[in-house]
């Protein structure tokens, strides 16, 4: 396991079989520039046949319903997990909603570096598995 700045990985080129990001990219402060930088770094450190696995929030009907529920104090008091989600959203509102508002940009950025093997949106999440592109 490696923990560090996703835009400046202190790893050699082509040294990793798989990179998994779960719920980290929607925190990028400057999505339009940071996402390109992060995906480029992930691409760089992956082996030729490496895979990138991504799970991130995604705007679906389910997530819209959850957002509506987060605005109801009585529901937040009754359901601790909903309250935790609502508190998280309040703390990172700017990057979270910016991420959710740019699905075409995100998918386009992913396609520049990875060949999708799985790309599925449901239950408020994007699930993506991509194989490293040879020449991005």
């Amino acid at each position: 396991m490696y923990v560090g700045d996703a835009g400046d990985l202190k790893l050699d080129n082509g040294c990793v079989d798989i990179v998994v990001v779960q719920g980290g990219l929607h925190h990028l402060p400057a999505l339009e520039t940071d996402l390109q930088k992060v995906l480029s770094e992930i691409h760089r450190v992956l082996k030729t046949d490496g895979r990138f696995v991504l799970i991130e929030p995604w705007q679906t009907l389910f997530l819209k319903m959850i957002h509506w529920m987060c605005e109801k104090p009585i529901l937040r008091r009754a359901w601790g997990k909903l309250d935790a989600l609502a508190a998280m959203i309040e703390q990172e509102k700017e990057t979270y909603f910016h991420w959710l508002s740019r699905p075409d940009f995100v998918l386009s950025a992913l396609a520049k570096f990875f060949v999708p093997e799985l790309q599925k949106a449901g239950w408020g999440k994007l699930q993506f598995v991509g194989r490293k592109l040879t020449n991005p």
Side-chain angles (χ1 to χ4, degrees):
M1 180 195 289
Y2 172 84
V3 177
D5 180 350
D8 184 24
L9 299 172
K10 304 297 186 207
L11 298 169
D12 293 334
N13 294 347
C15 68
V16 178
D17 291 307
I18 188 167
V19 172
V20 178
V21 175
Q22 183 170 352
L25 297 184
H26 73 273
H27 298 283
L28 294 172
L31 182 63
E32 287 71 17
T33 55
D34 291 345
L35 185 59
Q36 174 84 13
K37 186 176 179 183
V38 169
L39 294 178
S40 177
E41 274 294 277
I42 291 169
H43 184 273
R44 181 186 66 76
V45 302
L46 280 173
K47 292 181 179 177
T48 302
D49 60 347
R51 300 295 189 277
F52 175 48
V53 178
L54 172 73
I55 301 172
E56 285 288 339
W58 207 247
Q59 193 68 273
T60 64
L61 183 57
F62 175 78
L63 191 61
K64 287 178 182 181
M65 181 182 70
I66 294 298
H67 289 160
W68 178 84
M69 293 171 68
C70 285
E71 296 173 2
K72 310 301 178 211
I74 193 167
L75 296 177
R76 287 181 66 170
R77 284 192 299 275
W79 188 12
K81 287 185 179 184
L82 182 70
D83 187 52
L85 174 65
M88 182 271 312
I89 291 170
E90 289 166 3
Q91 292 297 311
E92 48 187 67
K93 185 182 295 187
E94 186 176 331
T95 60
Y96 177 76
F97 285 110
H98 187 65
W99 170 271
L100 291 176
S101 74
R102 300 296 312 271
D104 293 337
F105 172 78
V106 171
L107 295 176
S108 175
L110 289 168
K112 289 179 186 175
F113 295 98
F114 308 100
V115 176
E117 294 181 336
L118 170 74
Q119 185 172 302
K120 180 179 170 185
W123 296 104
K125 299 287 181 193
L126 171 65
Q127 299 172 41
F128 177 88
V129 177
R131 180 174 36 84
K132 178 179 177 175
L133 266 174
T134 311
N135 296 313

